[in-house]
Amino acid sequence: MRIVGLTGGIASGKSTVSNLFKAHGIPIVDADIVARNVLKKGTGGWKKVVAAFGEDILLENGEVDRAKLGQIVFSDPGRRQLLNRLLAPFISRGILMEVLKLWIKGCSIIVLDVPLLFEAKMDKWTKPIVVVWVDPKTQLQRLMIRDGSMEEDAKSRINAQMSLDLKRSQADIVIDNTGSLEALHEQFQKVLTQITRPLTWTEFMLSRKGAFLTLFSIFVGVAICKRSS
Ligand code: ADP
């Protein structure tokens, strides 16, 4: 199985690229969806977060008020780290479960769409790693337009993240999304060709087919040994 890592910075165009993969039939594991699920009322993540941040962060229906929690952690790096630390094991487990479901289905190439791929050290699970990069000026403009935010607010959200240049330096494949959507689509086609090339032997052995083939070979080997003894 080939597990492609997809990451980027805020408003670099990661979701746009993720949607292109989806549109081309590549299964996606979306860490944002997993992160939302691990905070649902009554789950282990919900319990940890309520215990650490208090019931003030809850809505009337008992669900976490994400906007309120977001404001708290955004203005306080210590509490942001705490939240990340509390939720990280639940998110990793959730992602692993989604990968397992796709493995059982027999998918051989999947994309892990994880904004904090490097920060959460999930990069070691993925190969190749695709980083969607954009120049800082364009990133700021797109963020302000998309979220309707003020320049100062947008800048501090960008600065709160790991630098996009550092992410780029750790990528196997870089998509430069500074240009138009047409330019992005052109690059995407090349990336699609790269990531859908035939599986390596190791990737094949990690796929469902490879695992069944190994089991079958062991079974045949044992049967032959028994016959000849
Ligand atoms: P991310 O998921 O990395 O936060 P998005 O995919 O949401 O970023 O992209 C940020 C914004 O920029 C969105 O409004 C998106 O429609 C827009 N966008 C993405 N790529 C381009 C592009 N090449 N040209 C113009 N706008 C773009």
Side-chain angles (χ1 to χ4, degrees):
M1 187 182 214
R2 175 173 299 147
I3 306 177
V4 179
L6 173 65
T7 193
I10 187 167
S12 71
K14 184 187 62 63
S15 308
T16 309
V17 172
S18 182
N19 286 334
L20 288 174
F21 277 121
K22 239 178 267 172
H24 285 79
I26 308 280
I28 306 282
V29 175
D30 186 332
D32 282 341
I33 295 178
V34 174
R36 246 173 272 150
N37 289 339
V38 302
L39 253 193
K40 278 202 175 139
K41 187 179 166 186
T43 58
W46 179 89
K47 286 178 190 156
K48 291 259 181 206
V49 169
V50 175
F53 288 82
E55 294 194 358
D56 283 355
I57 56 149
L58 296 180
L59 293 165
E60 273 184 16
N61 63 7
E63 293 289 351
V64 170
D65 184 340
R66 288 166 198 281
K68 195 169 184 182
L69 183 61
Q71 270 170 1
I72 295 170
V73 299
F74 179 60
S75 54
D76 183 340
R79 301 194 95 190
R80 188 160 67 232
Q81 272 178 10
L82 172 66
L83 180 68
N84 287 342
R85 209 173 48 241
L86 291 176
L87 291 183
F90 295 98
I91 295 174
S92 306
R93 217 172 300 149
I95 289 177
L96 213 61
M97 286 308 292
E98 293 303 314
V99 172
L100 193 64
K101 280 186 207 164
L102 293 172
W103 184 88
I104 290 168
K105 271 192 183 171
C107 300
S108 54
I109 300 173
I110 68 168
V111 170
L112 279 199
D113 173 349
V114 187
L116 303 180
L117 188 81
F118 294 112
E119 296 87 331
K121 304 200 182 341
M122 280 183 209
D123 51 317
K124 56 179 181 272
W125 297 359
T126 62
K127 187 82 189 169
I129 294 170
V130 180
V131 168
V132 185
W133 184 88
V134 70
D135 82 57
K137 208 172 128 213
T138 312
Q139 182 182 24
L140 182 64
Q141 274 171 356
R142 287 188 186 152
L143 179 58
M144 286 166 63
I145 293 169
R146 187 191 65 186
D147 294 357
S149 46
M150 304 298 287
E151 188 169 336
E152 277 318 299
D153 184 40
K155 272 186 181 164
S156 47
R157 289 184 70 191
I158 292 172
N159 292 335
Q161 295 195 326
M162 177 177 168
S163 125
L164 200 42
D165 283 344
L166 186 56
K167 290 189 181 186
R168 179 172 64 170
S169 70
Q170 294 177 28
D172 300 303
I173 301 172
V174 177
I175 296 180
D176 181 350
N177 188 26
T178 307
S180 64
L181 280 173
E182 290 71 37
L184 175 66
H185 284 219
E186 250 176 58
Q187 288 181 75
F188 175 78
Q189 285 305 327
K190 287 185 193 150
V191 173
L192 189 64
T193 308
Q194 257 178 291
I195 72 145
T196 53
R197 70 191 187 279
L199 298 187
T200 63
W201 180 245
T202 314
E203 287 168 338
F204 174 72
M205 293 312 281
L206 289 171
S207 70
R208 193 187 67 173
K209 257 190 202 163
F212 284 156
L213 185 73
T214 310
L215 277 178
F216 179 72
S217 313
I218 293 171
F219 180 74
V220 171
V222 170
I224 292 172
C225 284
K226 272 194 176 168
R227 268 192 151 200
S228 54
S229 62

